[in-house]
Amino acid sequence: MKDFDDREERVGKLKGLGCARKRVEDARFTQGKGNYVDDVKLPGMLFGDFVRSPYAHARIKSIDATAALELPGVIAVLTAEDLKPLNLHWMPTLAGDKQMVLADGKVLFQGQEVAFVVAEDRYIAADAIELVEVDYEDLPVIVDPFEALTTDVVLREDLDTSEPGAHGPRKHHNHIFLWEEGDKTATEQAIESSEVVAEEMVYYHRTHPCPLETCGCVASMDKVNGKLTLWGTFQAPHVVRTVASLLSGIAEHDIRVISPDIGGGFGNKVGVYPGYVCAIVASIVTGKPVKWIEDRMDNLMATAFARDYWMKGRISATKEGKITGLHCHVTADHGAFDACADPTKFPAGFFHICTGSYDIPVAYVGVDGVYTNKAPGGVAYRCSFRVTEAAYFIERMIEVLAIELNMDAAELRRINFIRADQFPYHSALGWEYDSGDYHTAWDKALAAVDYEGLRKEQAERVEAFKRGETRTLLGIGLTHFTEIVGAGPVKNCDILGMGMFDSCEIRIHPTGSATARLGTISQGQGHATTFGQILASEIGISSDNITIEEGDTDTAPYGLGTYGSRSTPVAGAAAAMAGRKIRAKAQMIAAYLLEVHDGDLEWDIDRFVVKGAPDRFKTMTEIAYAAYNQAIPGLEPGLEAVSYYDPPNMTYPFGAYICVMEIDVDTGEHKIRQFYALDDCGTRINPMVIEGQVHGGLTEALAIAMGQEIAYDDLGNCKTGTLMDFFLPTAVETPHYTTDHTETPSPHHPIGAKGVGESPNVGGVPAFSNAVHDAFRAFGLRQSHMPHDHWRVWKIAHDLGLHG
Ligand code: MCN
Ligand code: CUM
């Protein structure tokens, strides 16, 4: 027997934790074998599409579908009146508000769903939409959230201001909630008695996740068997099943929800949209399958937007730069309905992570949610529940404070970082940061870019500019972010009452391969690759021999889905725990086979070995076979396990990003010379997948910071409803990224892993934006709102008098 000295080869074959295993799903994605919702084609299938409002705020006087119904191939036109008897003309949102499924008496944003046309094909449906005559009477439009709180114009006539909302009293008819955290009085006192105070309004503009594949579904009601099957672009298929059951009255076991391959989610596909409800109703009414797929404009104008946070900050410090307090008030523009997909108790998500990476003794945040005539949503786009806004806020406030202190911004960060010996760290706003080593990451990042050298070069550039020798400036964009992901402990976090645990079920087959199913759903993150690696290391079966399945509620265990970078922290933990159950039983089987006490065995990569007798062992393949082939006293046959994992805490990944940017003062154009991204997501499962996540997230951050926005005119017309106007970076605009890492495991996660999917967006946006600001610091710039497109950057230079 030579097997015991070929450990390296066995580890290699396992393709477990830490292996840069190639993504198994790419074989089908790159060869046209993906199976997306629009690939679902059923016999007799009909197509639904929406008549949408051209007005942002209007009363609907009448809807006449006569001409549309006369068009050959049109089957039905549904309006709110048709849904009323079913009580489906409104639906609950994930934020405790309700939302019109189809316009009920009025419309509240441009692109709102007014009627649902069902036809034999997509083109007939599109033609019929043009034939539906809607008589609108326009109403005053409110697009400014500050104006919304003072105007007499009532947006939500369905709500009674004297009644509290889902999160307490409402102070105005367009007010949704006031949500507060921290000690307001103590914070104000600390700030007032401080030597240095910096104050700024930081705006994180409205944008959109814009996944390549838009949202859509196919609903198929089988009236004979009483079964409803729903394929859709769902980031949380089980939750959709529960909601569909509650809304329709169909028993949950008679509903099957399937998320097939998803072409990018980015939070856009968490919420429940009117299209799903209408497709289900239409299928029930017609007895035929009904497909609904958005076009690009529908997607940009009507589905979950992101951000739109006006963050008024005050930060104080000693003369030496030690931060003494942080105060933040947010005016949060939620659009027409509060349809944020936050955990129930957190109407502003985890925004109160806004003390960031810093040891701030006292802090307060208050968030006012406000209705306006814009599309609903808010929590989307690699955001970890508003952590993007929080990180942008604190990283801008740090820069502004550095200006106020006339201090280097890297040094200011360093002297305020939470120290490694302070973890687990209790933040002033109530979080318990699990682990971190910020100083090590920061020093590594600064050294990697030669920070001192860059500052020298920048100072020389400023002098050269002043002498008229150059027209480009150099910006050094610094960011140290702290993320909070892995929602979450069930006691704190739920979605519509469903606790946010997650799950994994494993079946080991007799020949030593396995199938594992999880409650999450990949949208491009590579779960089929990486969850197999977690299991491989736990159960000693090569990840090549483990099939990972997600997204079918008939087969996968109940889970809360994929968003908030929670899959690794929660379902990844469930996978490890289920794996450990398998291994525990495998140990009993091995003990029986080897005729030793189970305590005399030790685990070694892919087998149990008798302690002190390395040539006596049973591999997992042998054990798997025995589980089905032998009658083992005291043990049930088979080798299966399931784990429902309730995490004890969230995980707190972090990172240090540095962006070096050249800015042409005369054109406002920028060039990114260098982008260095150090991420710490604890134990790394697949370095290649992590790097892919970081590249993608940074590119989305680049988009947001440098050009992308969902903009409205005063009449509430969405000005950026096409990809001509909505900036999506291509290879041309995307710079080279240098990635790096440190590895600080999470102490409470079974394998020490933290999430990473959203980190690059959380940290990327402030890095790009700070670079722009930093380039102009020497000329007096303090704050300027994103996106930093060429025109706005040119305008900064102009306003600073740099155009002579
Ligand atoms: N990973 C790892 N080691 C770690 C952490 C993560 O190897 N320590 C791997 C995971 O195994 C997984 C991937 O990185 O394959 C992302 O894991 P995680 O951070 O747990 O995030 P989720 O899987 O929950 O994905 C959600 C996250 C979110 S919320 C958005 S938004 C986003 C993102 O992922 N949407 C994406 N990245 C995306 N990437 C693609 N391609 N498409 C999207 O829609
Ligand atoms: Cu907030 S975007 Mo992701 O959580 O799906």
Side-chain angles (χ1 to χ4, degrees):
M1 290 261 176
K2 60 164 277 287
D3 299 62
F4 54 86
D5 55 15
D6 57 1
R7 303 187 78 249
E8 212 167 296
E9 194 185 321
R10 280 158 49 208
V11 170
K13 276 203 188 125
L14 202 62
K15 299 191 186 165
L17 283 185
C19 169
R21 182 188 185 212
K22 289 217 170 111
R23 296 189 358 145
V24 292
E25 44 273 87
D26 287 348
R28 72 172 186 281
F29 291 155
T30 55
Q31 294 176 78
K33 291 283 183 192
N35 181 41
Y36 298 90
V37 172
D38 207 18
D39 293 322
V40 176
K41 296 186 170 84
L42 303 175
M45 189 168 74
L46 304 174
F47 295 79
D49 205 350
F50 283 110
V51 175
R52 293 180 182 274
S53 171
Y55 292 95
H57 195 197
R59 214 165 286 294
I60 294 188
K61 302 179 76 176
S62 65
I63 301 175
D64 184 354
T66 320
L69 285 165
E70 277 166 9
L71 189 72
V74 173
I75 311 293
V77 178
L78 299 178
T79 65
E81 293 309 313
D82 300 306
L83 299 182
K84 265 180 199 167
L86 305 166
N87 204 23
L88 285 176
H89 53 312
W90 288 74
M91 62 178 182
T93 70
L94 296 179
D97 193 1
K98 53 186 181 142
Q99 173 176 357
M100 289 181 217
V101 174
L102 290 171
D104 182 20
K106 73 189 287 197
V107 287
L108 286 160
F109 66 93
Q110 189 183 53
Q112 187 179 330
E113 300 81 356
V114 173
F116 191 66
V117 174
V118 184
E120 282 168 5
D121 74 36
R122 243 201 117 113
Y123 304 97
I124 298 173
D127 289 344
I129 281 169
E130 303 292 323
L131 297 174
V132 176
E133 281 177 35
V134 186
D135 192 6
Y136 297 95
E137 178 190 304
D138 60 341
L139 295 167
V141 173
I142 307 295
V143 288
D144 180 309
F146 298 98
E147 188 192 340
L149 286 178
T150 54
T151 177
D152 292 339
V153 178
V154 180
L155 302 185
R156 292 289 298 276
E157 291 163 9
D158 59 296
L159 298 178
D160 180 350
T161 314
S162 61
E163 298 276 317
H167 301 283
R170 304 194 303 128
K171 57 189 177 198
H172 180 266
H173 48 251
N174 296 328
H175 184 241
I176 311 173
F177 60 81
L178 166 64
W179 186 81
E180 294 174 288
E181 191 63 72
D183 189 334
K184 192 175 183 187
T185 316
T187 303
E188 279 164 0
Q189 277 168 3
I191 291 176
E192 271 150 33
S193 60
S194 287
E195 292 162 332
V196 182
V197 180
E199 193 171 320
E200 201 54 72
M201 174 65 94
V202 179
Y203 179 46
Y204 197 143
H205 59 295
R206 180 176 273 241
T207 179
H208 194 281
C210 194
L212 272 187
E213 178 202 30
T214 59
C215 301
C217 71
V218 176
S220 180
M221 184 70 210
D222 173 348
K223 288 195 182 171
V224 175
N225 294 303
K227 299 267 183 196
L228 170 69
T229 308
L230 186 64
W231 290 262
T233 49
F234 309 131
Q235 288 183 232
H238 282 96
V239 179
V240 170
R241 186 185 70 184
T242 302
V243 173
S245 174
L246 292 172
L247 287 182
S248 68
I250 301 170
E252 206 165 347
H253 70 278
D254 282 330
I255 302 177
R256 180 179 183 187
V257 175
I258 302 171
S259 292
D261 285 329
I262 295 181
F266 307 109
N268 191 213
K269 294 167 179 171
V270 177
V272 174
Y273 295 123
Y276 308 157
V277 179
C278 289
I280 293 171
V281 171
S283 181
I284 293 172
V285 170
T286 62
K288 298 201 168 154
V290 175
K291 178 184 276 188
W292 165 70
I293 304 282
E294 287 175 337
D295 67 19
R296 182 57 61 191
M297 286 178 72
D298 297 342
N299 180 256
L300 281 172
M301 290 172 63
T303 61
F305 75 94
R307 326 293 194 254
D308 220 342
Y309 256 33
W310 291 90
M311 302 171 284
K312 181 82 198 257
R314 263 189 302 155
I315 189 167
S316 59
T318 63
K319 282 202 298 290
E320 294 73 34
K322 192 83 191 87
I323 300 173
T324 51
L326 178 71
H327 187 286
C328 179
H329 178 265
V330 181
T331 303
D333 186 339
H334 283 232
F337 308 100
D338 188 9
C340 279
D342 291 309
T344 305
K345 285 179 198 151
F346 299 96
F350 303 151
F351 182 78
H352 47 312
I353 190 78
C354 65
T355 52
S357 310
Y358 312 102
D359 184 13
I360 301 181
V362 53
Y364 163 81
V365 7
V367 181
D368 275 306
V370 180
Y371 290 123
T372 58
N373 290 121
K374 300 180 192 168
V379 176
Y381 211 177
R382 284 182 125 134
C383 68
S384 320
F385 304 122
R386 302 282 189 193
V387 181
T388 42
E389 289 90 327
Y392 185 64
F393 168 72
I394 185 66
E395 290 303 299
R396 283 300 310 140
M397 290 309 293
I398 290 282
E399 294 284 313
V400 172
L401 180 62
I403 292 171
E404 201 70 47
L405 287 159
N406 193 24
M407 197 171 162
D408 177 79
E411 185 55 22
L412 177 60
R413 284 178 173 83
R414 186 204 309 278
I415 62 176
N416 286 289
F417 280 146
I418 299 161
R419 295 186 319 272
D421 62 19
Q422 286 176 284
F423 291 93
Y425 173 81
H426 292 266
S427 81
L429 294 175
W431 298 115
E432 184 187 306
Y433 293 30
D434 62 346
S435 64
D437 183 352
Y438 301 164
H439 285 97
T440 300
W442 195 237
D443 290 343
K444 194 172 177 184
L446 296 182
V449 299
D450 179 20
Y451 181 67
E452 272 176 35
L454 282 173
R455 283 291 177 210
K456 245 178 84 196
E457 182 186 345
Q458 183 186 44
E460 282 160 12
R461 185 75 67 87
V462 168
E463 291 313 312
F465 182 87
K466 287 178 179 162
R467 291 194 301 269
E469 290 163 16
T470 178
R471 296 296 290 164
T472 63
L473 295 173
L474 187 65
I476 306 164
L478 303 174
T479 285
H480 191 289
F481 66 93
T482 295
E483 257 267 64
I484 167 169
V485 298
V490 168
K491 65 178 190 302
N492 298 330
C493 293
D494 70 272
I495 295 267
L496 282 183
M498 304 306 300
M500 295 178 75
F501 59 85
D502 228 290
S503 59
C504 176
E505 179 205 274
I506 317 174
R507 297 183 182 182
I508 312 287
H509 310 309
T511 51
S513 72
T515 303
R517 302 190 170 101
L518 297 101
T520 43
I521 172 73
S522 194
Q523 309 127 41
Q525 294 90 343
H527 290 180
T529 307
T530 52
F531 282 134
Q533 293 181 245
I534 296 177
L535 285 170
S537 288
E538 293 291 341
I539 64 177
I541 291 176
S542 168
S543 54
D544 286 343
N545 293 328
I546 305 172
T547 294
I548 300 292
E549 291 182 6
E550 298 177 309
D552 183 341
T553 59
D554 263 14
T555 55
Y558 203 103
L560 271 285
T562 291
Y563 41 84
S565 305
R566 66 186 296 282
S567 303
T568 304
V570 193
M577 298 311 270
R580 285 170 197 185
K581 290 183 188 177
I582 295 278
R583 208 158 90 186
K585 185 168 175 184
Q587 185 162 358
M588 310 297 282
I589 297 170
Y592 172 79
L593 298 175
L594 291 160
E595 296 180 341
V596 296
H597 189 271
D598 57 284
D600 294 332
L601 294 173
E602 59 190 3
W603 177 251
D604 184 42
I605 304 166
D606 56 356
R607 64 194 56 187
F608 277 104
V609 184
V610 178
K611 283 179 192 163
D615 57 339
R616 293 193 61 214
F617 60 82
K618 286 289 168 190
T619 66
M620 265 313 273
T621 312
E622 293 169 312
I623 294 168
Y625 191 68
Y628 292 89
N629 151 280
Q630 308 240 349
I632 299 167
L635 280 187
E636 291 177 5
L639 196 49
E640 301 188 2
V642 56
S643 165
Y644 284 81
Y645 187 81
D646 177 11
N649 187 6
M650 281 185 260
T651 66
Y652 295 73
F654 60 94
Y657 291 179
I658 299 175
C659 173
V660 184
M661 192 184 278
E662 303 264 1
I663 288 180
D664 184 324
V665 168
D666 296 316
T667 62
E669 287 175 306
H670 66 270
K671 213 175 91 195
I672 292 150
R673 194 167 91 182
Q674 186 179 7
F675 197 105
Y676 171 89
L678 178 151
D679 272 280
D680 191 319
C681 55
T683 304
R684 289 149 50 89
I685 299 157
N686 183 324
M688 183 199 68
V689 167
I690 292 171
E691 187 171 35
Q693 287 292 304
V694 172
H695 280 204
L698 287 178
T699 304
E700 292 185 324
L702 167 85
I704 295 169
M706 306 310 291
Q708 205 169 68
E709 75 175 315
I710 295 289
Y712 292 86
D713 69 12
D714 291 345
L715 294 175
N717 293 308
C718 179
K719 299 195 287 182
T720 51
T722 76
L723 293 185
M724 287 296 285
D725 309 294
F726 188 79
F727 169 52
L728 270 198
T730 64
V732 175
E733 293 90 357
T734 305
H736 175 78
Y737 302 118
T738 305
T739 56
D740 202 348
H741 67 278
T742 55
E743 198 161 330
T744 314
S746 166
H748 59 79
H749 187 280
I751 60 166
K754 304 180 179 185
V756 78
E758 295 167 308
S759 293
N761 206 325
V762 168
V765 171
F768 288 112
S769 180
N770 281 348
V772 173
H773 284 91
D774 184 68
F776 294 104
R777 177 173 165 173
F779 302 92
L781 180 67
R782 260 174 79 109
Q783 176 63 16
S784 155
H785 297 323
M786 293 190 289
H788 306 298
D789 54 22
H790 302 163
W791 150 247
R792 285 186 176 89
V793 174
W794 179 90
K795 187 84 169 41
I796 294 172
H798 198 73
D799 292 348
L800 292 172
L802 302 185
H803 292 154

